[in-house]
Every structure is written in structure tokens, then in C-alpha cells.
């Protein structure tokens, strides 16, 4: 190698060493002092060891005003590239808060645009590690345009590749809309916040004083707003769960989720189910224990665990095949559907359908939640979102009526009439327009009022209604369920059914797109 070439190589190595060192030890210490890892430390935890290939590490901004001309660090505050998670390709970008507070400028945005384009072209998941202070004020409208390019690509990638946003620091203003457009949002308690307007603006406009965490912290978004799907105490746990989620998702919408055959027998009897679910429809129980019995090794990942707790949405495996589970939770609000539960389940159904994940629906639903707040809040519109999502889904769909399934909620929860491929019921099922008490009071109100003993007449009519219209085999006799099964056989029956449906092919009518209820 010629001397001048050796000099150039040495210069390159020096530049790369500077890139890896980052801005300064002081900046790194400050990041650690906040309980936060650096961008490179986060990438190392997310990706398989030694798999990261960085893209544009030597990129610098070209802004020349407001002091930026004297401060042109490499990477421009964002690290981009690709690597593997469990041996499967993943693209990633990570804001480096040590450089300009992770603020987005023109070069910074260009790097993100490029890695997003690569992820879409390669058909591989995209993970963003967010820790930035918003738009770089010194670059003006160029920074704002950079956000527009990110939003446009988030939308183009939606339903094509899995997009996961991991919030590891502040995310304010318009920047918060990128995570909102992705499939999953992870947050870390105390160190990550998301809001459109910060506490100072809120106080100035409304007079209300609130902390950053009280306004947009992980617990607020996991429990109240539903913006956050998963919340963890530390970055290590958070990133480990991101890896687990990626193991359950396909690389793109043209592939099926990865199968992982295990040791849990497909024909394992579930005798515990006979005792888990009380025959009395008014007695609560924990539906999570039912899900544990059905999935492989009792292991599943619950999405939105702390928001809209009256419905469960989870990803698990059955005989090694990834399955999306939607189940009413009788322990919370008796398992009714309300505005938030409808939105939560609708979004989950759409995600599963987009990424070829079969759907298992477990019904124990007394109806929609009554109330002025629900009606004025648009329960009709929000409930229709779940109905639309199920009707639009083309993946294999199997439902099981465990106990009660009343009224419109029964129809909405993937009944056979809206396209469920196979519907089963347990011998404890009650499928009806409403509960027997309410139905008898409506149908036989005149006879009850005219009786010498109205209460005795009412009890008699309730018993008669149950015997005629709510016995466990009424729906089966009319072909509205395909079979009534022994609860202990549920896992085996479901696995056999999903295996039968694995080659299902269904086409929607030709159209640009639907117009779902909003």
C-alpha cells in the first residue's frame, strides 16, 4: 500500500475511533447519571452480539448559523444501522442525547429517512430508540420537514413491516406522532415521557400544575391514555422484552410468524379449566389463567396489560405457532365491552391480521357497558371499530364461547355471523340477546304484572326462557356454533383447528382502502 493510502487509512481509523468515543466522557457520565444508557449501549442490548452494522457514522450537519458551524460532531446525534435479533434481520435507529440533546436536524432526519427506506425495501422490522429533545431550533423549518418525512414513512410501512418505538427519554411536540403511528410503544418509568405540550404550557394555558411524569410518563400512558403498550422499570428489562416481542412477529406482511416447536404436547388435557370457570355467570374469575392453560408452557405476552383491563389482548404460541388471543376479562367490569376495550381489541386484531397471526377469541361477555358517558363518548362509533376489524380480517379466526355471550357484544366478538371460521362453545355457554332476567321482564311483563304472585311468576318465566332459548345446545342446533366441546379438550381441539386453517386464503373486494369508523 502506498504511503499516502496508508495515511488515509490511518485517518479513517482515527475518525471511527472518535465516532465510537462519542462527544465526551462528561456527556456520557451525565447520561448515566440520569439512569439512562447511551445510544450504543442500547443498541448492544437490543441486537445480537457483534451483529450491528452502522450506516453513515461519519455524517455531519451542514448548518452554518447560530453557532452550529463550530459544532459539527459525527453521527449528528442519531445512530442508524442494522443487525440481528435471535438471528433475524432488524433495522434500528437510536437518538444520542449526548449530541444536541438528540434534537432532530436536516442531516439527522436524512439518516432516519434512509434507514426507514432500507427497512421497507428489505422487508425487516424497524426499531426506534427514542431519546430526543424534538426539532433542532437552529435549523428552523428544515428540522420540521424532517419529521414530516418520518411520519410519511411510518405510514407507508404500516402493516408492511413491524414498527416498534422504544421511549427511553423525552419525546415532546410533533415528535410524539411518530411513535403513535407505529405498531408498539415501549416506555421506561421515570426516564421517558411523551406529550404534545409540556407542563409549562399546560400551566400557562389551563392553570393546572403537573410534573413531566404526571403529564406523560410511562404509567400514565400505560394505564390512562393507552398510548404505551408496555412499561418497564429499567432499560435492560425493556429492551429484553422488545427482543421477545420480535421473536413473535414475522419480518414482514409476506411472511408467517416464526414457529418454535416446544415440549408442551398438543394434546395435553386442560383439566384445570373445569374448575377455573364457574358455571354461575355472575361469578368472576381470572381469564388470564384460562389463557395460560391453552398456550404453550403457559407463556404469553400481554399487550396493553394495564389499559382497558376488561379485555385481554395477548400473543402466545400453540403447538409452536404464534397466535393472537382476544378474551373478555370477567375480573374487570364483569368483562363488558366499553369504549377503551373496543379500541384496544380493534387495534390488536388489525395488527394480527396485517402480520398473518391467527386469531383466537375467548368469549364471556355480558354486553356493552351502559351509561350516559359511554353513549356520549361514542360507544357506537368505537364499538364499530372492533366490528370492522374482525369483519376485515382474513387470517384464520376461531372463537370459543366459555360462558355468557349476550347481545351486540356477542356479535362483535367474532361470532360466526361476522366471519369466524370455526366457533366452539363449552357446555356452560349461554348465547342470547340478553340475560334471562332482563328478557323475561321484557317479554312477560304483562303476565308478571297480572299474576297473583308476580315474583313467583317472574321466576317461572325466567326458568322457562332459559330452558327454551338459552340452553347450551340451542346455538349448536341452529348451526351458530360448530360444536360444543369438553373444556378439558379445548387446547387439542384449537390446535387441530388452526392446523386445518393454516392454508386458508381469503380475498377482500378490490378497493383502494376501506373507510373504518373513527
Amino acid at each position: 500500500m502506498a504511503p499516502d493510502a496508508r495515511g488515509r487509512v490511518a485517518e479513517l481509523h482515527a475518525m471511527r475511533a472518535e465516532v465510537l468515543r462519542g462527544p465526551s466522557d462528561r456527556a456520557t457520565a451525565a447520561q448515566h447519571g440520569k439512569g439512562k444508557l447511551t445510544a450504543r449501549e442500547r443498541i448492544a442490548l437490543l441486537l445480537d452480539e457483534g451483529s450491528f452494522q452502522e450506516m453513515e457514522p461519519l455524517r455531519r450537519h451542514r448548518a452554518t448559523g447560530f453557532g452550529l458551524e463550530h459544532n459539527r460532531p459525527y453521527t449528528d446525534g442519531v445512530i442508524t444501522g442494522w443487525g440481528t435479533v435471535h438471528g433475524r434481520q432488524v433495522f434500528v435507529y437510536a437518538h444520542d442525547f449526548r449530541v444536541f440533546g438528540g434534537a432532530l436536524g436536516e442531516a439527522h432526519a436524512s439518516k432516519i429517512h434512509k434507514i426507514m427506506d432500507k427497512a421497507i425495501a428489505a422487508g425487516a422490522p424497524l426499531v426506534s430508540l427514542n431519546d430526543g429533545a424534538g426539532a433542532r431550533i437552529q435549523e428552523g423549518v428544515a428540522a420540521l420537514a424532517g419529521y414530516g418525512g418520518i411520519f410519511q414513512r411510518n405510514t407507508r410501512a404500516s402493516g408492511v413491516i413491524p414498527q416498534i418505538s422504544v421511549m427511553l427519554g423525552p419525546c415532546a411536540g410533533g415528535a410524539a406522532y411518530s411513535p403513535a403511528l407505529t405498531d408498539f410503544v415501549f416506555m421506561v418509568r421515570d426516564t421517558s415521557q411523551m406529550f404534545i405540550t409540556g407542563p409549562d404550557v399546560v400551566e400557562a394555558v389551563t392553570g393546572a400544575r403537573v410534573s413531566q411524569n404526571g403529564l406523560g410518563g410511562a404509567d400514565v400512558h400505560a394505564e390512562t391514555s393507552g398510548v404505551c403498550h408496555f412499561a418497564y422499570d429499567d432499560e435492560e428489562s425493556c429492551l429484553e422484552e422488545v427482543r421477545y416481542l420480535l421473536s413473535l412477529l414475522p419480518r414482514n406482511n409476506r411472511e408467517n410468524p416464526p414457529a418454535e416447536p416446544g415440549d408442551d404436547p398438543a394434546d395435553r388435557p386442560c383439566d384445570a379449566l373445569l374448575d377455573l370457570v364457574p358455571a354461575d355467570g355472575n361469578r368472576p374469575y381470572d381469564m388470564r389463567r384460562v389463557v395460560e392453560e391453552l398456550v404453550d408452557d403457559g407463556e404469553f405476552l400481554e399487550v396493553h396489560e394495564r389499559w382497558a383491563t376488561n379485555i385481554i389482548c395477548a400473543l402466545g404460541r400453540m403447538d409452536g405457532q404464534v397466535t393472537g388471543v382476544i378474551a373478555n376479562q370477567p375480573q374487570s367490569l364483569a368483562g363488558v365491552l366499553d369504549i377503551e376495550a373496543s379500541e384496544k381489541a380493534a387495534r390488536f386484531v388489525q395488527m394480527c391480521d396485517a402480520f398473518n397471526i391467527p386469531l383466537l377469541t375467548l368469549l364471556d361477555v355480558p354486553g356493552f357497558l351502559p351509561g350516559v358517558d359511554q353513549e356520549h363518548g361514542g360507544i357506537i362509533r368505537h364499538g364499530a371499530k372492533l366490528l370492522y376489524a374482525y369483519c376485515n380480517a382474513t387470517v384464520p379466526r376461531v372463537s370459543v364461547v366459555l360462558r355468557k355471550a349476550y347481545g351486540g357484544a356477542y356479535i362483535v366478538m367474532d361470532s360466526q355471523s361476522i366471519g369466524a371460521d370455526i366457533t366452539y362453545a363449552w357446555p356452560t355457554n349461554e348465547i342470547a340477546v340478553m340475560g334471562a332476567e332482563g328478557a323475561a321482564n321484557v317479554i312477560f311483563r304483562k303476565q308478571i304484572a297480572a299474576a297473583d304472585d308476580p315474583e313467583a311468576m317472574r321466576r317461572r318465566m325466567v326458568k322457562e326462557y332459559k330452558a327454551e332459548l338459552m340452553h347450551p345446545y340451542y346455538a349448536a342446533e341452529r348451526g351458530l356454533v360448530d360444536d360444543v366441546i369438553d373444556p378439558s379438550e379445548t387446547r387439542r381441539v384449537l390446535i387441530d383447528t388452526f392446523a386445518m386453517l393454516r392454508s386458508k386464503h381469503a380475498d377482500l373486494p378490490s378497493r383502494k382502502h376501506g373507510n373504518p369508523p373513527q
Side-chain angles (χ1 to χ4, degrees), residues 59 76 78 103-116 136 142-143 145-147 149-150 153:
R59 187 70 180 266
D76 200 47
V78 64
L104 181 139
E106 182 185 26
H108 182 122
S110 176
K111 289 181 65 175
I112 295 175
H113 296 168
K114 184 178 287 189
I115 205 67
M116 294 179 80
R136 196 174 298 170
Y147 276 122
I150 294 173
R153 288 166 174 82

Side-chain angles (χ1 to χ4, degrees), residues 171-483:
C171 184
Y177 284 112
S178 177
L181 289 168
T182 61
D183 300 300
F184 299 98
V185 176
F186 288 73
M187 293 186 75
V188 176
R189 293 184 181 90
D190 298 327
T191 58
S192 64
Q193 302 88 28
M194 296 174 66
F195 37 70
I196 298 300
T197 54
D200 293 340
V201 176
V202 169
E203 183 178 2
V205 174
T206 70
R209 301 190 67 178
V210 63
S211 66
Q212 288 195 349
N213 282 322
L215 182 63
D219 288 327
V220 168
H221 287 311
E223 296 177 9
T224 305
S225 72
V227 169
C228 166
H229 299 78
F230 307 97
Y232 298 94
D233 290 329
D234 56 76
E235 295 189 16
E236 292 83 359
S237 300
C238 180
L239 292 169
E240 184 59 36
E241 286 299 284
V242 174
R243 288 174 57 87
Y244 177 45
L245 173 60
L246 285 166
S247 75
L248 297 169
L249 300 175
R251 289 180 358 118
N252 56 62
N253 65 338
R254 300 183 301 277
E255 298 181 2
N256 290 323
E260 283 189 8
D263 300 325
D264 196 350
D267 60 354
R268 167 174 57 80
C270 301
D271 295 331
L273 293 177
L274 295 168
D275 300 315
L276 277 178
V277 181
D280 181 356
N282 294 320
R283 288 180 57 193
Y285 62 94
D286 189 355
M287 182 66 83
R288 287 190 185 89
R289 296 185 62 192
V290 176
V291 178
E292 286 175 2
E293 282 293 313
L294 296 177
V295 299
D296 293 351
D297 303 311
E299 184 176 342
F300 60 91
L301 179 64
E302 187 169 352
V303 179
H304 270 145
E305 179 180 357
R306 295 161 59 197
W307 181 61
T309 55
N310 43 324
I311 200 161
I312 294 170
C313 297
L315 292 170
R317 282 192 166 86
M318 300 184 71
D319 198 29
Q321 303 291 333
V322 178
T323 306
V325 180
I326 304 95
N328 307 112
Q329 173 57 294
Q331 262 192 349
S332 177
L333 294 176
V336 297
L337 285 179
D338 61 1
I339 288 172
E340 292 184 344
S342 299
E343 285 195 342
K344 170 180 169 178
R347 174 77 168 171
F348 183 76
V349 168
Q350 289 174 168
M351 184 279 298
C352 289
D353 187 52
F355 295 116
N356 308 311
I357 300 172
L359 292 168
L360 169 62
T361 305
L362 304 176
L363 286 87
D364 192 346
V365 59
F368 282 95
L369 180 65
V372 175
D373 289 345
Q374 288 291 307
E375 297 296 343
H376 289 186
I379 184 62
I380 297 172
R381 176 167 51 87
H382 293 287
K385 294 178 183 178
L386 180 55
L387 178 61
Y388 187 98
Y390 268 126
C391 290
N392 209 43
T394 60
V395 293
R397 293 155 52 188
V398 179
S399 61
V400 183
V401 181
L402 276 60
R403 205 166 55 168
K404 57 188 177 295
Y406 296 159
Y410 152 66
I411 299 173
V412 167
M413 288 290 293
D414 207 19
S415 63
Q416 193 173 99
S417 60
I418 67 166
D421 295 297
I422 299 290
T423 303
Y424 296 112
W426 285 2
T428 48
N429 84 84
E430 292 182 354
I431 304 174
V433 175
M434 63 176 67
E437 297 279 345
N441 288 335
V442 172
I443 298 171
F444 306 112
R445 64 182 181 277
K446 291 182 180 179
Q447 294 94 317
I448 292 172
D452 293 334
D453 186 345
E455 181 57 28
M457 175 62 76
R458 188 189 64 79
R459 287 197 299 268
R460 195 182 109 195
M461 293 297 100
V462 167
K463 185 176 180 180
E464 182 177 318
Y465 183 85
K466 280 188 173 182
E468 291 294 325
L469 297 178
M470 293 182 66
H471 64 80
Y473 303 99
Y474 182 84
E477 290 171 0
R478 285 152 182 80
L480 298 177
V481 300
D482 293 289
D483 199 4

Side-chain angles (χ1 to χ4, degrees), residues 1-15:
M1 186 179 293
D4 57 341
R6 291 180 183 276
R8 292 293 188 185
V9 170
E11 181 183 11
L12 171 63
H13 284 303
M15 293 166 66

